Amino acid sequence: MSDSPPTDPLAGSPFLAACRCEPHDRIPVWFMRQAGRSLPEYLAIRGTGSILEAVGDPDRATEITLQPVRRYGVDAAILYSDIVVPVHAIGFGVEIKPGVGPVAENPFRSAADLERIRPLEPDVDTPYVLETVRRLVAELNPHGVPVIGFAGAPFTVASYLVEGGPSRDWLKTKSLMHGDPDLWHQLMGRLADMAIVSLESQIEAGARSIQLFDSWAGALTVSDYRQFVMPHSVAIFDAVADLGVPRIHFGVTTGELLSSMGEAGADVVGVDWRTPLSIARQRVGTDKALQGNLDPAIVNAPWPAVEAAVRAVVAENAGHPGHVFNLGHGVMPSLDPDALKRIVELVHSLDPGGSTPPRP
Amino acid sequence: MSDSPPTDPLAGSPFLAACRCEPHDRIPVWFMRQAGRSLPEYLAIRGTGSILEAVGDPDRATEITLQPVRRYGVDAAILYSDIVVPVHAIGFGVEIKPGVGPVAENPFRSAADLERIRPLEPDVDTPYVLETVRRLVAELNPHGVPVIGFAGAPFTVASYLVEGGPSRDWLKTKSLMHGDPDLWHQLMGRLADMAIVSLESQIEAGARSIQLFDSWAGALTVSDYRQFVMPHSVAIFDAVADLGVPRIHFGVTTGELLSSMGEAGADVVGVDWRTPLSIARQRVGTDKALQGNLDPAIVNAPWPAVEAAVRAVVAENAGHPGHVFNLGHGVMPSLDPDALKRIVELVHSLDPGGSTPPRP
């Protein structure tokens, strides 16, 4: 037995410790969509094509992912990606229209469309994703910053395929779900399988955590979520459980779903700003970590108001070691990067209370 | 004392009884936005101008309000209106763009804009609203159908004035709220005063209930809601308390706000489909009524799924007499009127359990 085994440079990561509800010496913080249009350095290299082009170029995707880590000193880097990357890669026919979002010219309508969703082969279909993850890991791990892998959850991905684009009511998606449950579950099963192999490949490439984005799951009733969505989230979290990385699960307007999202197998449950962390903790339980939940729309307010709001989020957590500070949703393009930087500094200056054991 | 005093034709209204948590013999049902683009008879008379033109024409507004009562046999009629009717009427400069929503070319930006929000004089500024209410009351009361008066709550109205149009993040609104709380409260105070006089005038004209729409209040944290919004809702509910009509309060994604919305003074708290009625009841208390909360996006699914969902809503209410069946949000234009009619028939066929006293 060697006296000095190679140490894991991420052994002291406050982010990973918080994800595991273990003690740590500062409150970890990162921001959903921290890489992107809010940053001038992003706009400078992003190019004018689809976001999918930038994701497909490891040079740009790596640099874009690194930019906010450099600027803000956040405690984790999230892979620059999009939830439709895998379905785009297998040729379903989905694009991301600037100013609109994911659009499928030929939406998913019937059983015949299942054939358009073949299994993902990450090495063949999305080698650029793995190349980007490897470069990020090589760059960031030595500095103690873990990379978070990225996947869209089946419901949210399905909603784009079925609606044909962004929706505010998910009418077609819910009609399919209730009108043809068998077909719905087949669609969800295929999308879950894609998420599984994508996440497995990202973890194999060095990602030390993963976040499953079910951004729009909060559009569902609790009953529909548990019947039509949760089994597929369970399958994903189960499949990557043995890989030993913290699994984060997030969506907006999910207040009533938080306990189910934890039950699905997440180690860390993302909370939007609508639900106070103390309430979220009651629903999720004290054995899982929470991520969130500053209202992103307050970031551009005068600093005293922002500071009070940041402190209020931390106070709501009441010193539980399982807290990853984040916004309650992604960074909007108009948010002020200087304010975000100041938020990181403030969070890092606050007492994590991380030595407090989880309350029973 | 006369042997046969004039009886109130609305004395037996199941809607009014449910609003008061009093026993009644069938579950009352109406639909938010029951009048409107989902109905072919609406499209036939609506005209091509702004909705504000139709609202401003008592002939059309009366007919539009009556259409769903005739077609569906719902238990209440909601005045055909819009939340910006008063601010439009006093000349703030807000229009409703088809396919967009309320738009203010010169948004509310500073204290100087307060002058653009003078007090509403309903008899002078919105006589057409009162004329429409009077005609509806004359038409509907003899048939036992009460008219619900309509007002936008200060936050939701303010959000349009400050943003200049519909928003998905309410960034400017929240920045004003936190950046200049004094100005914010002045703006909210003026809008609350407008809602008060508008509601008072509608009640005087015969409306037997009112609904205060704070559609987007659910975008706020609980703390912000209670600090920046709730006091103004309290002022409105207080002002009309003595007029003796049930006061309904509604917004979407308000799961965490339900108790506060009840506390603000509502007799009936509207619940969107995300929060099961049993959970809403825990938050609101058993002494107030709930309104809701079928997911509107399920209405076009095959009937067995719709029927199961309707029965699930009623089962969640567990026989509490304070339940007004409704959707969890407004009727979308693409919803099938035949399905809505069938939902009304189903709800009316179910046991209200209305003789069950409120649980302690």
Side-chain angles (χ1 to χ4, degrees):
Chain A
M1 190 167 137
S2 160
D3 283 348
S4 53
T7 52
D8 180 353
L10 296 178
S13 159
F15 167 77
L16 293 177
C19 286
R20 295 179 174 120
C21 299
E22 292 170 355
H24 49 282
D25 58 10
R26 74 180 193 196
I27 301 172
V29 50
W30 69 281
F31 302 123
M32 290 183 281
R33 231 178 278 162
Q34 61 192 9
R37 284 184 291 157
S38 59
L39 294 180
E41 60 267 38
Y42 169 85
L43 298 173
I45 67 161
R46 159 73 168 75
T48 53
S50 160
I51 175 178
L52 294 170
E53 282 176 36
V55 167
D57 171 2
D59 285 344
R60 262 188 295 171
T62 301
E63 173 61 17
I64 288 170
T65 304
L66 292 172
Q67 285 172 343
V69 181
R70 283 190 209 114
R71 178 188 273 262
Y72 299 134
V74 285
D75 297 286
I78 180 125
L79 176 70
Y80 178 69
S81 188
D82 188 273
I83 63 164
V84 299
V85 163
V87 281
H88 172 260
I90 59 145
F92 181 85
V94 57
E95 294 296 337
I96 300 183
K97 272 199 188 167
V100 178
V103 172
E105 202 179 326
N106 296 306
F108 185 96
R109 283 284 175 269
S110 69
D113 293 314
L114 280 176
E115 288 171 24
R116 297 165 61 197
I117 309 179
R118 66 160 171 83
L120 180 76
E121 298 179 68
D123 290 337
V124 179
D125 296 316
T126 52
Y128 44 85
V129 168
L130 305 182
E131 176 62 19
T132 301
V133 173
R134 281 188 290 263
R135 291 191 197 181
L136 289 168
V137 167
E139 178 76 27
L140 292 172
N141 279 19
H143 299 285
V145 177
V147 175
I148 306 172
F150 185 117
F155 170 75
T156 297
V157 175
S159 75
Y160 288 104
L161 305 189
V162 174
E163 302 288 339
S167 173
R168 295 198 73 161
D169 54 27
W170 297 278
L171 195 60
K172 296 189 184 83
T173 310
K174 292 178 181 179
S175 287
L176 174 64
M177 179 185 282
H178 287 280
D180 194 342
D182 285 349
L183 178 58
W184 171 259
H185 282 296
Q186 287 185 68
L187 167 61
M188 291 287 280
R190 292 194 183 208
L191 295 174
D193 288 345
M194 296 183 75
I196 289 168
V197 296
S198 175
L199 289 172
E200 285 173 339
S201 69
Q202 293 177 55
I203 295 167
E204 196 184 349
R208 289 290 289 268
S209 175
I210 58 100
Q211 180 155 322
L212 185 66
F213 287 84
D214 214 351
S215 307
W216 310 136
L220 296 167
T221 65
V222 176
S223 162
D224 283 355
Y225 177 79
R226 294 185 67 90
Q227 182 177 355
F228 294 111
V229 175
M230 187 172 155
H232 304 284
S233 305
V234 168
I236 295 169
F237 288 127
D238 273 1
V240 298
D242 289 345
L243 301 179
V245 308
R247 299 156 294 175
I248 313 172
H249 200 16
F250 172 77
V252 285
T253 68
T254 52
E256 315 302 347
L257 304 180
L258 293 173
S259 64
S260 298
M261 292 174 77
E263 194 186 330
D267 304 297
V268 185
V269 177
V271 184
D272 89 4
W273 66 95
R274 293 174 178 88
T275 307
L277 289 184
S278 59
I279 304 284
R281 188 84 66 194
Q282 289 170 20
R283 295 183 193 157
V284 171
T286 55
D287 59 333
K288 291 179 185 286
L290 300 179
Q291 179 171 279
N293 68 346
L294 184 71
D295 183 351
I298 202 183
V299 168
N300 286 2
W303 176 251
V306 180
E307 176 172 355
V310 169
R311 288 179 181 273
V313 167
V314 172
E316 276 287 326
N317 180 60
H320 191 291
H323 177 219
V324 176
F325 193 98
N326 206 316
L327 303 180
H329 198 178
V331 172
M332 286 94 82
S334 57
L335 293 197
D336 174 15
D338 291 341
L340 290 169
K341 182 172 171 58
R342 212 165 164 186
I343 289 169
V344 171
E345 291 165 355
L346 173 61
V347 172
H348 282 164
S349 77
L350 299 175
D351 179 4
S355 57
T356 313
R359 287 162 298 176
Chain B
M1 194 168 136
S2 162
D3 282 347
S4 52
T7 51
D8 180 354
L10 296 179
S13 158
F15 166 78
L16 293 176
C19 288
R20 296 179 171 121
C21 299
E22 292 170 356
H24 49 281
D25 58 9
R26 74 180 193 195
I27 301 172
V29 51
W30 68 281
F31 303 123
M32 289 182 281
R33 229 176 280 161
Q34 61 192 10
R37 284 184 291 157
S38 60
L39 294 180
E41 59 267 37
Y42 169 86
L43 298 173
I45 67 160
R46 160 73 167 76
T48 53
S50 159
I51 175 179
L52 294 170
E53 283 175 36
V55 167
D57 172 3
D59 285 344
R60 262 188 294 172
T62 301
E63 174 59 19
I64 288 170
T65 303
L66 292 172
Q67 286 173 343
V69 181
R70 282 189 210 115
R71 179 188 273 261
Y72 299 134
V74 285
D75 297 285
I78 182 131
L79 176 69
Y80 178 68
S81 188
D82 188 273
I83 63 163
V84 299
V85 163
V87 282
H88 173 261
I90 58 143
F92 181 86
V94 57
E95 293 296 335
I96 301 183
K97 272 198 187 169
V100 178
V103 173
E105 202 179 324
N106 296 306
F108 185 96
R109 283 284 176 270
S110 69
D113 293 314
L114 279 175
E115 287 170 26
R116 298 164 61 197
I117 309 180
R118 67 159 171 81
L120 180 76
E121 298 178 68
D123 289 338
V124 179
D125 297 315
T126 52
Y128 44 86
V129 168
L130 305 182
E131 175 63 20
T132 301
V133 173
R134 282 188 289 263
R135 290 191 198 181
L136 289 168
V137 167
E139 178 77 26
L140 291 171
N141 279 18
H143 299 285
V145 177
V147 175
I148 306 173
F150 186 117
F155 171 76
T156 297
V157 176
S159 76
Y160 287 104
L161 304 189
V162 174
E163 302 287 340
S167 173
R168 294 197 74 160
D169 53 28
W170 297 277
L171 195 60
K172 296 189 184 82
T173 310
K174 291 178 181 178
S175 287
L176 174 64
M177 180 185 282
H178 287 280
D180 194 342
D182 284 350
L183 179 57
W184 172 259
H185 283 296
Q186 287 184 68
L187 168 60
M188 292 287 279
R190 292 196 183 205
L191 295 174
D193 287 345
M194 295 182 76
I196 289 168
V197 296
S198 176
L199 289 172
E200 285 173 339
S201 70
Q202 292 177 55
I203 295 167
E204 196 184 348
R208 289 290 288 268
S209 175
I210 58 98
Q211 180 155 321
L212 185 66
F213 287 84
D214 215 351
S215 306
W216 310 137
L220 296 168
T221 64
V222 176
S223 162
D224 284 354
Y225 177 79
R226 294 185 67 91
Q227 183 177 354
F228 294 112
V229 175
M230 188 172 154
H232 305 283
S233 305
V234 168
I236 295 168
F237 287 127
D238 273 1
V240 298
D242 289 345
L243 301 179
V245 308
R247 299 156 295 175
I248 314 173
H249 200 16
F250 172 78
V252 285
T253 69
T254 51
E256 315 301 347
L257 304 181
L258 292 173
S259 64
S260 299
M261 292 173 78
E263 193 185 331
D267 304 297
V268 185
V269 177
V271 183
D272 90 3
W273 66 94
R274 293 173 177 88
T275 307
L277 288 184
S278 60
I279 303 284
R281 187 84 66 193
Q282 289 170 21
R283 296 184 192 156
V284 171
T286 55
D287 59 334
K288 290 180 187 287
L290 300 179
Q291 179 171 280
N293 70 346
L294 184 72
D295 183 351
I298 203 184
V299 168
N300 286 1
W303 177 251
V306 180
E307 176 172 356
V310 169
R311 288 179 181 273
V313 167
V314 172
E316 276 288 327
N317 179 61
H320 192 291
H323 177 219
V324 176
F325 193 98
N326 205 316
L327 304 180
H329 199 178
V331 172
M332 287 95 80
S334 58
L335 294 196
D336 174 14
D338 290 341
L340 290 168
K341 181 172 172 59
R342 212 164 162 186
I343 289 169
V344 172
E345 291 165 356
L346 173 60
V347 171
H348 281 164
S349 77
L350 298 174
D351 179 4
S355 58
T356 312
R359 287 162 298 178

